[in-house]
Amino acid sequence: MNEQEFGFETQAIRTQLERTQFQEHSVPLYLTSSFVFEDAEDMRASFAEEKDRNIYSRYSNPNTNEFIEKICKMEGAESGFAFASGMAAVYSTLAALLNSGDHIVSASSVFGATHSLFINYFPKWGIETSYFDIDKPETIESFIKPNTKILFAESPTNPAVDIIDLELLGTIAKKHNLILIIDNCFATPYLQQPIKWGAHLVVHSATKLIDGQGRVLGGITVGNAELIQKIYLFSRLTGPSLSPFNAWVLSKSLETLAIRLDRHCENALKVAEFLESHPQVNKVKYPFLKSHPQYEIAQKQMKLGGNIVAFEIKGGIEAGRAFLDKIKLCSLSPNLGDTRTIVTHPASTTHSKLTVEERLAVSITDGLVRVSVGLETVKDVIADLEQALS
């Protein structure tokens, strides 16, 4: 059977490093900072990149190589580089490709730390960002300038769980010769492969669903080999590389990604349906609820709806805080994608430093609550949410 014919789960489980002389069944940890050379010529050729081999774990390591190879196969990517965190992946990817004077067009609804990069740090280096409203995709092209280089978006978005038409973005990027970068963290490569729709690069915070158990930090960017080479050269100098131990954990986690996501999505849909019928809830956003404004797009480009549910509780910020104080089973944490269900209230926590107008511009209302639905017995999660809403 040709390896290309293997299914997603088989690729995730059977993509492994070559066995050592010990014939291990599970890939070993390579906890080494560096690697040795046979002679002076071997060392010269390796540093000249005439040989494809490990030199120093800041550049590459067998464990990170395996993790990257798996994600590349899952996403349909040519190459990749693994990072110490999701934000290291976002920053390094953009920094490696942008020059002073360049311009980014981004969806307005992006992760708070990404937003801070765009408005607080990149302007210091002469890089500007324009935001488009995800509810008005017809306006995207109006933001493109002669110096626009990158089109950036998340889908689903964090934390409002909006959906962007990846095929439309791919068409626009091709028309205007832009680099399309998609943060695929909420979907994972199991639910969505943006490269199929025209993305040049795909970014993940592996800390979330890829790890799936709240253990380690990690990030990864995969995609076009020429672009990845630029990111690699930048990153081997600046040092945001993923540790071998975390890479080993994440590679093992990928073996169960599909089966975990199936249950996450099943539970999340039931939670969303419960919340939609609750009198204390104004509205619910979940990609596979028919009431979601981009439901048809989600059906087109996603296998399932993911594990994140956003809902608006009646009563604004104070009601959101009171809801968190009543939670008993679920966790209060800034993380997501864990086996344990996590609830957050962005307006009073992660996005509290934004003005009301800035929050509303990215669909974060005062009463918005984000639920990262875990793998517990779903009736227990629903019961906890119900008593907290009462």
Side-chain angles (χ1 to χ4, degrees):
M1 187 176 181
N2 191 303
E3 188 176 313
Q4 296 300 318
E5 298 173 1
F6 287 151
F8 184 96
E9 292 87 342
T10 304
Q11 295 273 31
I13 293 167
R14 291 292 177 176
T15 300
Q16 290 185 296
L17 296 172
E18 286 186 24
R19 292 190 176 106
T20 70
Q21 70 271 29
F22 298 111
Q23 292 296 298
E24 66 280 343
H25 192 219
S26 181
V27 173
L29 275 163
Y30 288 87
L31 297 182
T32 180
S33 59
S34 60
F35 302 84
V36 298
F37 305 90
E38 294 178 3
D39 51 36
E41 174 56 22
D42 181 31
M43 196 169 189
R44 183 208 64 78
S46 298
F47 273 87
E49 297 185 23
E50 295 170 9
K51 289 186 174 183
D52 184 15
R53 55 109 77 212
N54 294 302
I55 298 173
Y56 193 69
S57 285
R58 175 157 52 87
Y59 305 172
S60 66
N61 175 281
N63 293 125
T64 55
N65 293 344
E66 181 186 272
F67 173 59
I68 292 166
E69 184 182 359
K70 284 187 179 183
I71 295 291
C72 284
K73 287 184 176 181
M74 292 174 171
E75 288 282 11
E78 295 174 350
S79 186
F81 192 82
F83 299 89
S85 69
M87 281 311 302
V90 171
Y91 168 72
S92 299
T93 297
L94 293 168
L97 300 176
L98 291 165
N99 297 311
S100 180
D102 285 342
H103 176 247
I104 303 167
V105 172
S106 171
S108 57
S109 185
V110 292
F111 180 49
T114 304
H115 174 66
S116 292
L117 277 181
F118 288 164
I119 66 168
N120 295 327
Y121 292 94
F122 283 180
K124 295 195 301 181
W125 304 317
I127 299 167
E128 297 180 341
T129 300
S130 297
Y131 284 124
F132 66 85
D133 187 336
I134 56 175
D135 293 324
K136 299 176 182 177
E138 69 279 2
T139 67
I140 295 174
E141 290 185 272
S142 68
F143 292 96
I144 298 172
K145 304 177 182 181
N147 62 330
T148 304
K149 191 169 187 179
I150 285 174
L151 181 57
F152 184 92
E154 301 170 5
S155 187
T157 64
N158 184 5
V161 201
D162 290 306
I163 302 294
I164 299 174
D165 190 334
L166 299 180
E167 184 176 21
L168 172 65
L169 295 184
T171 299
I172 293 172
K174 184 176 182 179
K175 177 181 176 181
H176 295 276
N177 196 30
L178 305 178
I179 300 170
L180 176 57
I181 303 175
I182 299 297
D183 186 328
N184 200 29
C185 174
F186 273 22
T188 81
Y190 179 60
L191 302 183
Q192 178 175 270
Q193 298 86 38
I195 291 171
K196 290 181 179 178
W197 304 104
H200 301 95
L201 296 170
V202 178
V203 181
H204 289 279
S205 171
T207 311
K208 310 303 191 294
L209 285 161
I210 287 176
D211 172 31
Q213 296 178 58
R215 299 167 297 185
V216 299
L217 298 178
I220 188 167
T221 299
V222 299
N224 175 274
E226 184 177 342
L227 296 175
I228 291 293
Q229 179 65 10
K230 294 180 180 180
I231 296 165
Y232 162 73
L233 292 174
F234 175 84
S235 300
R236 66 182 273 176
L237 289 174
T238 54
S241 53
L242 182 64
S243 76
F245 178 79
N246 286 11
W248 180 84
V249 171
L250 293 168
S251 186
K252 298 302 289 184
S253 296
L254 287 173
E255 296 181 12
T256 61
L257 180 66
I259 194 167
R260 286 189 285 109
L261 259 294
D262 284 341
R263 178 57 64 87
H264 274 299
C265 296
E266 178 185 333
N267 283 358
L269 181 58
K270 290 177 181 177
V271 167
E273 290 169 344
F274 156 73
L275 290 168
E276 196 168 41
S277 64
H278 199 284
Q280 289 300 113
V281 174
N282 282 328
K283 64 179 180 179
V284 180
K285 271 190 179 176
Y286 181 69
F288 271 39
L289 278 182
K290 291 184 178 180
S291 58
H292 194 289
Q294 294 99 27
Y295 171 76
E296 295 297 333
I297 297 173
Q299 289 282 309
K300 177 181 76 170
Q301 64 193 32
M302 296 179 70
K303 179 183 177 72
L304 295 166
N307 84 311
I308 306 296
V309 180
F311 71 95
E312 185 180 327
I313 191 171
K314 293 179 179 178
I317 287 180
E318 292 307 315
R321 289 173 176 163
F323 170 79
L324 293 189
D325 285 339
K326 289 182 180 179
I327 286 292
K328 296 178 180 178
L329 173 70
C330 301
S331 304
L332 308 185
S333 171
N335 196 26
L336 60 92
D338 202 308
T339 52
R340 291 151 288 206
T341 298
I342 295 169
V343 295
T344 56
H345 178 237
S348 67
T349 57
T350 56
H351 292 74
S352 60
K353 293 181 181 178
L354 300 181
T355 66
V356 173
E357 291 75 20
E358 287 172 333
R359 289 201 300 268
L360 290 176
V362 292
S363 304
I364 301 173
T365 60
D366 286 348
L368 183 75
V369 175
R370 186 188 73 190
V371 184
S372 171
V373 182
L375 301 179
E376 304 98 338
T377 304
V378 71
K379 69 179 181 62
D380 296 331
V381 174
I382 290 173
D384 192 33
L385 297 176
E386 186 170 29
Q387 65 83 24
L389 285 166
S390 65

